[in-house]
Amino acid sequence: MSNLELPVLGQDEAAACCSPMVREPLGEEAAVDLAKMFKALSDPVRLRLLSLIASHDGGEACVCDLTGPFDVSQPTISHHLKVLREAGLVGSERRGTWVYYWVLPAALARLSSLLEAPAGGSR
Amino acid sequence: MSNLELPVLGQDEAAACCSPMVREPLGEEAAVDLAKMFKALSDPVRLRLLSLIASHDGGEACVCDLTGPFDVSQPTISHHLKVLREAGLVGSERRGTWVYYWVLPAALARLSSLLEAPAGGSR
DNA sequence: CGGCTGTATCGACAGCCGTCGATGCAAGAG
DNA sequence: CTCTTGCATCGACGGCTGTCGATACAGCCG
């Protein structure tokens, strides 16, 4: 393990957080930072986990709600949740017996605005 | 090598293309399809290539404009461009001696809208 | 034609990633 | 305390991915 979770990070330095990448070339550091988040989204299981958590009642779900819908083992689900957490896309908290996960909307919003296309998409 | 480029695909079936994933759970097929695009974005070099192409004059760039800013070799750039093309994120065309690449705005828009957070970001 | 320049493909190789079963740890129940 | 349940970590393994140098292909120039 050895590596802690990046808080929400980058928000300031590696950021260039909001303007669409189609307007100006991405800096090298910002690209490295953003690539980590996109990598967290680059697996079908993690994408479904994220949407399952986000669309769950109350905006959060416990792991026990998440292992059912998948064909993979519980340790694998746990691994994917860890990846999402370390990428700063979800938060988690133990509450008694269960551990709950929720989406961090700011992170998704950052990626979303980055991908926004210019209105007049030329060709 | 053996696998052709997915045209733009999914636009119809695997799609569920537009509504944010935070509203309803992503289908398994849609997740697989979307994961391919996010995987194409999960490398810093490819992210910078994409923004470099998009922000280039006229909305397109020839490969000769793209090899300069990077530390990696020309075959590697070519490889990354191929990945972006097969993911349906960019288009390309040979024009005389040079090959030009441009961004496909619809693909970026699809991903962007998928990541849109619900306005009232709860916690 | 022959040579030169721009781009793609090939083959190889090291490192990363998704998955598993086994196991460990936390917390409530009896 | 002991048993059970929920979740995380560990170690292993096969497959994928990013990178390179070498090479092939395409089109212009002379």
Side-chain angles (χ1 to χ4, degrees):
Chain A
M1 38 217 60
S2 73
N3 82 17
L4 294 181
E5 4 212 318
L6 352 151
V8 73
L9 86 57
Q11 213 67 323
D12 42 298
E13 58 91 21
C17 86
C18 297
S19 88
M21 71 163 87
V22 297
R23 306 189 73 84
E24 45 184 340
L26 222 44
E28 193 164 348
E29 295 181 16
V32 169
D33 182 37
L34 291 164
K36 289 176 188 170
M37 297 200 203
F38 283 122
K39 178 164 291 183
L41 295 176
S42 72
D43 182 279
V45 174
R46 286 197 291 267
L47 275 181
R48 291 177 61 205
L49 274 174
L50 198 65
S51 83
L52 216 51
I53 292 170
S55 62
H56 198 269
D57 207 49
E60 57 181 24
C62 89
V63 180
C64 60
D65 296 322
L66 301 173
T67 48
F70 297 92
D71 288 337
V72 299
S73 68
Q74 173 268 323
T76 299
I77 295 292
S78 200
H79 164 70
H80 284 308
L81 288 170
K82 183 180 178 180
V83 172
L84 288 173
R85 184 161 32 88
E86 289 179 346
L89 296 175
V90 304
S92 71
E93 179 187 10
R94 173 155 221 138
R95 216 173 290 154
T97 305
W98 297 278
V99 176
Y100 289 85
Y101 283 79
W102 57 87
V103 170
L104 300 175
L108 292 194
R110 179 180 171 197
L111 298 181
S112 177
S113 64
L114 189 89
L115 294 176
E116 270 167 7
S122 59
R123 49 171 57 242
Chain B
M1 52 168 57
S2 74
N3 83 17
L4 294 182
E5 7 210 313
L6 352 152
V8 74
L9 85 57
Q11 212 70 322
D12 41 300
E13 57 93 21
C17 84
C18 297
S19 88
M21 71 163 87
V22 298
R23 307 189 72 84
E24 45 184 340
L26 223 45
E28 192 165 347
E29 295 180 17
V32 169
D33 182 38
L34 291 164
K36 289 177 187 170
M37 298 200 201
F38 284 121
K39 180 164 290 183
L41 295 176
S42 72
D43 183 280
V45 174
R46 286 197 292 267
L47 274 181
R48 291 177 62 204
L49 274 173
L50 198 64
S51 83
L52 216 51
I53 293 171
S55 62
H56 197 269
D57 208 50
E60 57 181 25
C62 91
V63 179
C64 60
D65 295 321
L66 301 173
T67 48
F70 297 92
D71 287 339
V72 299
S73 67
Q74 174 269 323
T76 298
I77 294 292
S78 200
H79 163 70
H80 285 308
L81 288 171
K82 183 179 178 182
V83 171
L84 289 172
R85 183 161 33 85
E86 289 178 348
L89 295 174
V90 304
S92 70
E93 180 188 8
R94 171 154 224 139
R95 215 173 292 155
T97 303
W98 298 277
V99 177
Y100 290 85
Y101 283 78
W102 57 88
V103 170
L104 298 175
L108 291 194
R110 180 180 170 197
L111 298 180
S112 177
S113 64
L114 188 88
L115 294 177
E116 270 169 7
S122 58
R123 50 172 62 240

